Amino acid sequence: MRVKAIITDVDYTLTDEKLRIAPDIVKFIQYLRNLGLDVILCTGRGVYETYSLALYLGASPAVIAENGAVICFMGKIKVLGDKKVLKKALNALKESFGDEVREGSFTPRLCELVLERKFPIDEARKILRAKNIDVNIVDSKVAYLVTPKNADKWTGTQRILEIMKIDPKEVIAVGDSENDIPLFKNIERTIAVGNAIEDVKAIAKYVASEPYWRGFIEGVSRLVLSQTSRDRI
């Protein structure tokens, strides 16, 4: 089935190792858009910064933010998760780890906790499960991200694709870290950039040899642009 959209992570997927956006990736995204492809940002970052970034990059005016707990289409924001459970999770983690639990100095979040990577995440998961606190906690490689249990990148993607009337089979997903796994498990065609963690590479359809934004260009060129060229013949 012909690809209509690319759902992509941002940090360490569209950026370099220092989280900088290279001019070449901006040109490439705009090239994809000129081909008629939607490029949809899907990230753990806040919805306000993600939507602004999409506009400046020339990507699609549809974003999946805060690990799928918040989506935005054409400037209209919808919160998909219940924020009340996040306070319970924060209190439980502070009781167990004390001052090691620190909220990161990031842009405001509507339905996500952003915590510094100072405490053992596996132990934190056990504590939250034991207390029956229904949240996900994942390591984005930038911070620990805590969202309601019913919100992840796949649930947010489903809602955006429904709005845009795009079949999941018409999508390619690109990513690098743990929070991309729910998306990779539900999208048939997936690309892991070269710096991706092994769990992501293990389930990816294509693993790029190049890391970071170069891996994005490599994978998309291999899986998407080769198809586009065939369609034109």
Side-chain angles (χ1 to χ4, degrees):
M1 190 175 286
R2 181 179 176 273
V3 174
K4 291 184 179 179
I6 299 163
I7 308 281
T8 181
D9 178 49
V10 176
D11 293 345
Y12 303 123
T13 298
L14 292 182
T15 72
D16 64 12
E17 69 279 8
K18 295 182 179 179
L19 297 179
R20 298 173 300 193
I21 297 284
D24 284 352
I25 198 67
V26 179
K27 293 177 183 176
F28 189 68
I29 288 172
Q30 292 174 4
Y31 171 67
L32 295 173
R33 296 285 285 137
N34 288 336
L35 290 177
L37 295 167
D38 279 298
V39 180
I40 301 169
L41 305 186
C42 183
T43 175
R45 287 190 175 269
V47 66
Y48 300 118
E49 62 182 317
T50 304
Y51 190 71
S52 297
L53 178 61
L55 295 180
Y56 282 114
L57 286 176
S60 300
V63 300
I64 301 129
E66 303 188 24
N67 260 348
V70 182
I71 61 173
C72 181
F73 181 71
M74 299 293 289
K76 294 182 179 179
I77 295 172
K78 185 170 183 60
V79 178
L80 305 180
D82 181 3
K83 191 175 182 179
K84 295 176 184 176
V85 71
L86 300 181
K87 186 174 182 181
K88 293 180 182 177
L90 182 60
N91 290 338
L93 292 174
K94 284 185 174 179
E95 284 176 10
S96 299
F97 301 110
D99 292 341
E100 290 182 325
V101 178
R102 302 175 188 172
E103 293 191 66
S105 56
F106 298 90
T107 57
R109 299 300 205 265
L110 300 183
C111 197
E112 180 182 53
L113 285 176
V114 184
L115 305 177
E116 294 182 7
R117 301 165 81 228
K118 302 287 188 183
F119 55 90
I121 191 170
D122 288 336
E123 189 176 339
R125 287 178 177 135
K126 291 177 183 177
I127 291 166
L128 294 170
R129 279 197 300 267
K131 292 179 178 290
N132 295 314
I133 299 174
D134 290 330
V135 294
N136 297 312
I137 178 168
V138 297
D139 185 356
S140 72
K141 298 196 289 189
V142 176
Y144 293 155
L145 306 177
V146 185
T147 54
K149 196 76 172 179
N150 64 340
D152 58 37
K153 284 192 175 185
W154 170 236
T155 57
T157 293
Q158 285 180 293
R159 297 297 293 273
I160 279 291
L161 294 182
E162 287 171 6
I163 292 168
M164 299 178 74
K165 300 186 184 332
I166 297 174
D167 191 305
K169 293 181 180 179
E170 298 173 314
V171 170
I172 282 181
V174 192
D176 74 306
S177 64
E178 182 184 5
N179 57 340
D180 295 308
I181 291 175
L183 184 58
F184 273 44
K185 285 183 175 179
N186 289 281
I187 296 291
E188 292 180 7
R189 289 175 284 190
T190 53
I191 299 167
V193 289
N195 55 289
I197 63 172
E198 290 304 318
D199 286 349
V200 171
K201 289 181 178 179
I203 59 174
K205 180 75 173 179
Y206 179 83
V207 178
S209 58
E210 292 283 350
Y212 308 110
W213 62 270
R214 290 185 177 87
F216 176 90
I217 292 177
E218 175 194 331
V220 171
S221 297
R222 179 71 176 268
L223 295 190
V224 182
L225 297 189
S226 57
Q227 167 213 270
T228 303
S229 298
R230 288 196 302 270
D231 288 347
R232 289 178 171 177
I233 296 174

